[in-house]
């Protein structure tokens, strides 16, 4: 009897049922799309941060920025040129530590002993800068001599003129200097931990990566963009500070720019830069990704003079369209979708309550025939619940279609990564001096294709909202229906 009456009433009130179901469907579809886009934003931000840290890295540790003494100038690169003859080439080749601040490599073991730390490896971030060119000496153009006055010498002073130097009116023409600046970034990598460190931000597309036994070998992995620019191929030789390295692999950055243009074994990088037993960055993997904040606190407490950076810290430096879209999806989008859903539930409740008002004679007659208030209530709630199920099914279908459309369109968002380090640019290769990933990311821009993955949790949430909306809407009408008396039906009899 319940289902027979339910089916007849829904068929008789198709338009009203369709309006209620459509309102719920719109709200549920918005919830699915916004939650899916928000999830895609989180994944995109995770990919951006992976392009800095590398896969598997949870934290990085760098030396804390030291405040210069009063009156002391900040440390800057210095270049010295020995005096040579005019036209003879001058050159200076420097391999400098990014940020000019390092940690003792023994700090890696100290960090590795902290609670919650699974593994820790060190890296040395460097910049190779080569300046070469020549000076040209200027020439003095003598001014025209003035006629001598009586009683004076040739120089107009009463003394005999001197042959050397320049006099009043003489000019210097020509001369100057022409120098070429070439630079590239270099990273000393701990080859014994190939799955942790700066090289994990790239994939070796040609050749191979380092072997764990090549701790002091003269081999190099080169970023694909730098290799193309310099015309390097597998088996070629790359010269750094006069030392030749064999190119054994070409690496392609997974997203955005690579961590460095050239990767060397850590020991070789330390030797070339005169940074024995020194590193700039420690890459840390936590035993539990949910305890990263606790690991950060432990390192800060027990390893003094360091700065600990997590992915959450780096996320605060992300700007650009990705950050803007993420804020809109998280703040405006979610609240808007829930507001629309709430409005749809309220409208459904009002429509159900209004329908009960129009059915006073019907329900009063049913009560007169022996229907209890509970049975009438269950009938009204059942009709509203079916409307909710229909609205939920439509909403899920529309929401999935919307999420698929976003993924298919794959709009490109740009993430601009901030930096705490200063920048020093020059020549054909840009240079950045800063400690750790945040420093090396100065001015780094990453393009990410947005997707809208729909999780089982999101679909489950949609089902619960549909059922909840139907029940809330039914509650309005059920409350009205339960208060009806058989006498009300008699008042409506014409």
């Amino acid at each position: 009897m319940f289902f027979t009456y339910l089916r007849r009433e829904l068929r008789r009130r198709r338009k009203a049922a369709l309006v209620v179901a459509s309102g719920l469907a719109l709200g549920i579809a918005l919830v699915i799309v916004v939650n899916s886009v928000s999830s895609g934003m989180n994944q995109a931000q995770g990919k951006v941060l992976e392009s800095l840290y590398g896969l598997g890295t949870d934290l990085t540790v760098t030396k804390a920025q030291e405040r210069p003494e009063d009156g002391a100038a900040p440390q800057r690169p210095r270049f010295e040129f020995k005096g040579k003859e005019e036209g003879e080439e001058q050159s200076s080749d420097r391999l400098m530590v990014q940020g000019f601040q390092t940690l003792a490599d023994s700090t890696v073991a100290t960090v590795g002993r902290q609670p919650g730390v699974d593994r820790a490896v060190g890296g040395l971030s460097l910049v190779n800068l080569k300046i070469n060119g020549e000076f040209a000496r200027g020439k003095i153009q003598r001014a025209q001599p003035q006629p001598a006055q009586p009683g004076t010498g040739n120089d107009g002073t009463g003394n005999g003129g001197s042959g050397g130097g320049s006099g009043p009116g003489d000019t210097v023409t020509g001369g100057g200097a022409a120098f070429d600046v070439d630079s590239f970034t270099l990273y000393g990598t701990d080859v014994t931990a190939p799955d942790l460190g700066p090289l994990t931000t790239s994939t070796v597309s040609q050749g191979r990566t380092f072997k764990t036994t090549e701790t002091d070998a003269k081999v190099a992995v080169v970023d694909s963009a730098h290799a193309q620019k310099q015309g390097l191929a597998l088996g070629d030789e790359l010269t750094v500070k006069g030392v030749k390295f064999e190119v054994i692999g070409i690496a392609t950055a997974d997203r955005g720019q690579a961590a460095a243009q050239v990767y060397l074994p850590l020991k070789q990088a330390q030797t070339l830069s005169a940074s024995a037993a020194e590193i700039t960055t420690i890459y840390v993997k936590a035993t539990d990704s949910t305890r990263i904040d606790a690991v950060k606190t432990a390192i800060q407490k027990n390893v003094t003079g360091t700065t600990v950076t997590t992915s959450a810290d780096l996320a605060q430096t992300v700007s650009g369209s990705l950050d803007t879209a993420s804020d809109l999806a998280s703040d405006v989008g979610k609240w808007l979708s829930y507001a629309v859903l709430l409005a749809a539930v309220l409208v459904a409740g009002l429509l159900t309550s209004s329908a009960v008002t129009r059915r006073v004679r019907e329900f009063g007659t049913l009560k007169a025939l022996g229907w209890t208030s509970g049975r009438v209530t269950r009938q009204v709630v059942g009709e509203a619940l079916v409307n909710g199920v229909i609205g939920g099914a439509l909403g899920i279908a529309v929401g999935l279609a919307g999420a698929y459309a976003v993924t298919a369109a794959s709009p490109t968002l740009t993430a601009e990564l901030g930096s705490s380090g200063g920048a020093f640019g020059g020549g054909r290769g840009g240079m950045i001096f800063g400690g750790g990933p945040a420093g090396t990311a100065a001015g780094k821009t990453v393009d990410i294709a947005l997707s809208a993955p729909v999780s089982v949790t999101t679909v489950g949430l949609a089902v619960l909202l549909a059922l909840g909306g139907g029940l809330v809407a039914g509650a309005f009408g059920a409350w009205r229906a339960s208060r009806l008396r058989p006498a009300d039906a008699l008042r409506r009899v014409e």
Side-chain angles (χ1 to χ4, degrees):
M1 181 66 180
F2 173 80
F3 292 103
T4 302
Y5 192 82
L6 178 65
R7 185 171 60 252
R8 183 178 66 81
E9 289 302 314
L10 289 175
R11 190 162 47 236
R12 190 159 63 95
R13 294 179 173 82
R14 284 193 297 266
K15 291 184 179 180
L18 184 60
V19 171
V20 172
S22 298
L24 290 174
L26 176 61
I28 290 170
L30 277 175
V31 170
I32 291 177
V33 172
V34 172
N35 274 277
S36 299
V37 171
S38 180
S39 177
M41 296 290 181
N42 292 333
Q43 288 185 5
Q45 285 191 334
K47 293 176 182 178
V48 170
L49 298 178
E50 277 182 18
S51 70
L52 283 182
Y53 270 163
L55 189 64
T57 303
D58 296 315
L59 310 92
T60 58
V61 182
T62 56
K63 187 175 179 62
Q65 190 73 29
E66 295 180 348
R67 184 183 298 274
E69 297 179 0
D70 293 339
Q75 191 172 0
R76 295 186 177 91
R78 294 175 56 85
F79 304 95
E80 298 179 357
F81 297 95
K82 297 180 180 179
K84 294 186 178 181
E85 295 295 328
E86 180 180 3
E88 190 174 353
E89 186 178 70
Q90 308 256 6
S91 67
S92 178
D93 193 358
R94 297 288 303 275
L95 189 59
M96 297 168 290
V97 173
Q98 292 222 38
F100 303 104
Q101 296 190 98
T102 59
L103 294 166
D105 60 7
S106 59
T107 312
V108 176
T110 304
V111 171
R113 290 192 296 267
Q114 301 308 307
V117 174
D118 180 26
R119 284 187 303 154
V121 299
L124 182 62
S125 181
L126 305 169
V127 171
N128 189 85
L129 178 62
K130 186 173 184 179
I131 300 178
N132 57 67
E134 58 185 38
F135 292 100
R137 185 175 300 170
K139 296 182 179 180
I140 299 177
Q141 298 290 334
R142 300 291 184 182
Q144 294 294 329
Q146 299 293 327
Q149 298 295 326
T152 64
N154 292 337
D155 61 357
T157 63
N159 300 320
S162 58
S166 61
D170 292 348
T171 60
V172 178
T173 60
F179 282 85
D180 187 27
V181 181
D182 190 14
S183 68
F184 61 86
T185 55
L186 186 149
Y187 225 116
T189 305
D190 188 345
V191 300
T192 62
D195 57 342
L196 188 62
L199 193 50
T200 57
T201 62
S202 300
T203 300
V204 177
S205 53
Q206 299 180 43
R208 63 176 178 85
T209 188
F210 299 107
K211 296 178 181 178
T212 56
T213 56
E214 294 176 325
T215 54
D216 198 22
K218 291 182 173 59
V219 290
V221 174
V222 182
D223 177 63
S224 58
H226 185 66
Q228 183 178 7
K229 178 181 177 181
Q230 300 295 330
L232 294 172
L234 291 178
D236 289 352
E237 289 185 342
L238 172 71
T239 302
V240 181
K241 288 281 289 183
V243 179
K244 294 182 179 181
F245 292 83
E246 179 188 357
V247 177
I248 61 170
I250 304 294
T252 302
D254 295 331
R255 300 169 188 89
Q257 300 172 344
Q261 292 167 302
V262 176
Y263 302 90
L264 299 180
L266 177 58
K267 192 172 182 179
Q268 284 288 339
Q270 291 172 331
T271 301
L272 291 175
S273 61
S275 305
E278 293 180 347
I279 55 173
T280 54
T281 310
I282 301 174
Y283 294 82
V284 182
K285 179 177 177 59
T287 55
D288 185 354
S289 59
T290 62
R291 298 189 58 224
I292 291 178
D293 289 339
V295 175
K296 175 180 178 179
T297 302
I299 295 175
Q300 289 176 325
K301 178 181 179 181
N302 301 323
V303 187
T304 58
T306 60
T307 298
V308 185
T309 308
T310 67
S311 57
D313 298 328
L314 284 182
Q316 297 177 1
T317 71
V318 177
S319 60
S321 59
L322 173 61
D323 182 54
T324 304
S326 180
D327 289 342
L328 287 174
S330 299
D331 300 332
V332 179
K334 282 190 176 181
W335 284 113
L336 178 62
S337 63
Y338 289 129
V340 170
L341 181 61
L342 178 61
V345 171
L346 291 176
V347 169
L350 291 175
L351 289 175
T352 304
S353 179
S354 177
V356 170
T357 302
R358 292 194 300 271
R359 298 166 66 184
V360 168
R361 185 172 61 181
E362 175 187 342
F363 288 135
T365 303
L366 290 174
K367 280 196 170 186
L369 293 175
W371 279 39
T372 63
S373 296
R375 186 173 181 182
V376 173
T377 299
R378 288 194 298 273
Q379 190 68 44
V380 175
V381 172
E383 293 174 10
L385 192 59
V386 171
N387 287 335
V389 171
I390 296 173
L394 290 174
I396 291 173
V398 174
L400 291 176
Y404 176 79
V406 172
T407 303
S410 296
T412 300
L413 299 178
T414 300
E416 298 175 1
L417 302 167
S419 169
S420 59
F424 175 82
R428 291 174 291 196
M431 290 177 302
I432 299 167
F433 290 93
T440 58
K444 182 173 180 177
T445 300
V446 181
D447 292 331
I448 297 292
L450 177 64
S451 62
V454 181
S455 65
V456 176
T457 303
T458 301
V459 175
L461 175 64
V463 172
L464 290 177
L465 290 175
L467 296 177
L471 289 174
V472 171
F476 281 94
W479 178 77
R480 292 289 303 275
S482 65
R483 294 171 62 86
L484 292 175
R485 297 175 299 169
D488 296 327
L490 300 176
R491 295 194 190 100
R492 298 296 182 95
V493 176
E494 297 177 356

